[in-house]
Amino acid sequence: MPSNKSVSDAPIVQFTNCRILRDHQLQREDLWVREGKILNPEKLFFDEKGSADVQLDCKDGIIAPGFIDVQINGGFGVDFSLATEDFKSGIDLVSQKILSHGVTSFCPTLVTSPPSVYHQVLPQISVRNGGAHGAGILGAHLEGPFISKEKKGAHPEHCLRTFEAGAFQDLLATYGSLDCVRIVTLAPEMKRSSEVIRELIKRGICVSLGHSVANLSQAEEAVQHGATFITHLFNAMLPFHHRDPGIVGLLTSDKIPAGRRVFYGMISDGIHTNPAALRIAHRAHPKGLVLVTDAIAGMGLAPGRHTLGQQVVEIDGLNTYIAGTKTLSGSVATMDTCVRHFQEATGCSVETALEAASLHPAQLLGIEHKKGTLNYDSDADFLMLNDSLYVQATYIAGEEVWRQDTLGM
């Protein structure tokens, strides 16, 4: 077929001999990419009379959308909640290292910190596209300090805050700026939280409920005001009770506004959530499940002492504790590990496991038109995986940014 480059001179790459995750199914078809976007081959053939410039044989591998991690506190020795002079090089290191675990976009997450930390760190986080330099940054996730003392988890109590009169101004003064902020986790039972939720939603910021002792009606009210996410379900919230299921009850609530979906994060590392609890959540509300790592600076490092913001944590195997306690403090699991554990623990399909780390977080952030799918015209951020869901190669904007056999793990 003669090539007609009237539309674009950019090379067209055709990935062949693969199974593509599209429309919730692994489909045996080719993937076509040009200029960082996924092409519709019918338009290419019939409108442009075009053909591929390069063909790549995927050797019967799986092609899935790149993973999106909306809660990651750091990794590889870097802690996003520490205001250091080389913060930018730290965030660059993490964004580069997570490519090998299939993450193509992420939300750097700050745990509860003094205002001075937010004021120093947030101006150094900028939304940017991914590429060979590393995964794309979608904006910061601020987890606290407006959370419950009773359910503070690994967050330092002396830094916790409540909403005073002029609640939203108080939040602005604490953070300094919301320019690069994508998600805020807060406890909805706090006085004046409703007005804060409404103001954040107006600015296009996702509100997540977590580190909270809220009852179900308080959680439902927060959702009615615009909250759409639950931070690490089951962890740092009231346990499920049959007379008042608390925030967990949102998974099956009949008070969710029409057309709205509540999403919930789960740390599927085999430590934070018993496999039975993972199965209960998934069966109750499969379309809302978002896999998150909640990874801390110790991810990718040897066991020992590391930091999480203002606290010292100890890593023992996959367990991470506030030093000297048995309080869990984030995870050291990578996203690809979480996907494999989720699939194994729930017995769900490969498609379901992959979408929990790609499509669902994209839907949560309202970016599913460009990320989290392999639909035509979406960003060509995708992974090649084997049948055991180990990442073989990572692509951003159609360019290979990591490959197993060349860089190793």
Side-chain angles (χ1 to χ4, degrees):
M1 190 186 293
S3 179
N4 174 352
K5 294 300 176 67
S6 61
V7 174
S8 171
D9 287 330
I12 296 164
V13 182
Q14 177 187 7
F15 294 82
T16 66
N17 189 17
C18 51
R19 290 159 290 153
I20 303 176
L21 177 55
R22 186 176 280 154
D23 296 328
H24 317 297
Q25 295 286 320
L26 284 177
Q27 305 188 13
R28 191 164 284 287
E29 53 186 89
D30 294 353
L31 186 76
W32 298 73
V33 175
R34 177 174 61 195
E35 291 187 311
K37 300 286 183 186
I38 292 168
L39 274 184
N40 180 342
E42 286 193 13
K43 281 188 179 175
L44 175 67
F45 300 150
F46 297 115
D47 298 353
E48 300 181 38
K49 308 288 190 283
S51 60
D53 298 286
V54 180
Q55 283 190 328
L56 291 175
D57 184 344
C58 301
K59 299 176 180 159
D60 201 35
I62 293 170
I63 293 188
F67 299 149
I68 300 169
D69 194 350
V70 300
Q71 187 177 9
I72 170 171
N73 311 290
F76 314 101
V78 176
D79 185 340
F80 298 147
S81 302
L82 284 183
T84 57
E85 285 183 13
D86 60 349
F87 181 85
K88 282 191 174 172
S89 62
I91 209 164
D92 288 349
L93 175 73
V94 174
S95 65
Q96 169 65 226
K97 292 271 198 182
I98 57 181
L99 294 174
S100 65
H101 301 291
V103 177
T104 53
S105 303
F106 70 110
C107 294
T109 304
L110 277 71
V111 296
T112 294
S113 303
S116 60
V117 169
Y118 298 115
H119 295 188
Q120 285 175 268
V121 168
L122 289 179
Q124 299 188 71
I125 297 176
S126 50
V127 174
R128 69 182 187 203
N129 292 327
H133 59 273
I137 297 174
L138 300 170
H141 177 171
L142 304 182
E143 187 187 356
F146 302 98
I147 58 173
S148 156
K149 279 186 184 178
E150 293 90 332
K151 291 293 176 184
K152 66 183 186 296
H155 292 236
E157 187 168 327
H158 70 278
C159 295
L160 299 182
R161 300 174 74 95
T162 54
F163 293 122
E164 305 305 326
F168 188 69
Q169 291 309 313
D170 188 30
L171 177 140
L172 271 179
T174 300
Y175 294 146
S177 166
L178 292 172
D179 289 350
C180 67
V181 175
R182 201 58 186 266
I183 305 173
V184 171
T185 293
L186 53 79
E189 70 275 14
M190 284 191 169
K191 282 183 183 170
R192 307 183 184 89
S193 66
S194 295
E195 60 184 272
V196 171
I197 292 170
R198 287 195 298 267
E199 287 295 332
L200 288 169
I201 298 303
K202 267 189 213 168
R203 288 161 173 76
I205 294 169
C206 166
V207 174
S208 188
L209 311 179
H211 288 277
S212 163
V213 291
N215 60 33
L216 179 55
S217 64
Q218 289 168 325
E220 287 169 335
E221 186 183 343
V223 170
Q224 285 152 12
H225 288 300
T228 52
F229 195 39
I230 303 169
T231 296
H232 46 51
L233 186 78
F234 297 126
N235 290 286
M237 61 188 60
L238 291 179
F240 179 89
H241 188 281
H242 55 284
R243 278 194 290 280
D244 192 337
I247 289 177
V248 177
L250 288 175
L251 272 60
T252 55
S253 169
D254 58 1
K255 303 276 196 312
I256 307 299
R260 178 91 53 80
R261 185 186 304 177
V262 173
F263 293 89
Y264 58 97
M266 296 219 72
I267 309 167
S268 171
D269 62 353
I271 303 291
H272 279 76
T273 313
N274 185 283
L278 200 53
R279 288 191 286 273
I280 287 170
H282 176 246
R283 289 174 194 176
H285 184 29
K287 290 185 175 174
L289 194 148
V290 173
L291 292 176
V292 299
T293 60
D294 197 20
I296 63 170
M299 175 178 70
L301 301 182
R305 288 199 161 209
H306 302 283
T307 64
L308 176 60
Q310 310 298 302
Q311 312 262 46
V312 176
V313 299
E314 290 177 328
I315 298 176
D316 177 13
L318 280 178
N319 293 291
T320 63
Y321 301 113
I322 294 290
T325 76
K326 287 297 177 187
T327 300
L328 283 174
S329 57
S331 110
V332 287
T334 56
M335 183 58 91
D336 54 328
T337 303
C338 290
V339 169
R340 290 190 295 271
H341 176 73
F342 171 59
Q343 205 248 333
E344 186 183 332
T346 61
C348 71
S349 67
V350 163
E351 293 94 333
T352 296
L354 293 168
E355 287 188 341
S358 54
L359 174 62
H360 295 178
Q363 290 171 327
L364 165 71
L365 296 175
I367 56 173
E368 69 272 26
H369 59 290
K370 56 182 181 176
K371 296 197 185 291
T373 77
L374 298 179
N375 294 343
Y376 302 140
D377 298 323
S378 61
D379 293 350
D381 296 356
F382 57 90
L383 313 174
M384 284 188 197
L385 306 108
N386 64 19
D387 284 350
S388 301
L389 300 186
Y390 283 86
V391 180
Q392 306 299 297
T394 303
Y395 286 76
I396 293 181
E399 299 290 328
E400 183 182 289
V401 294
W402 181 85
R403 177 166 286 276
Q404 168 70 42
D405 49 15
T406 54
L407 297 181
M409 291 298 282

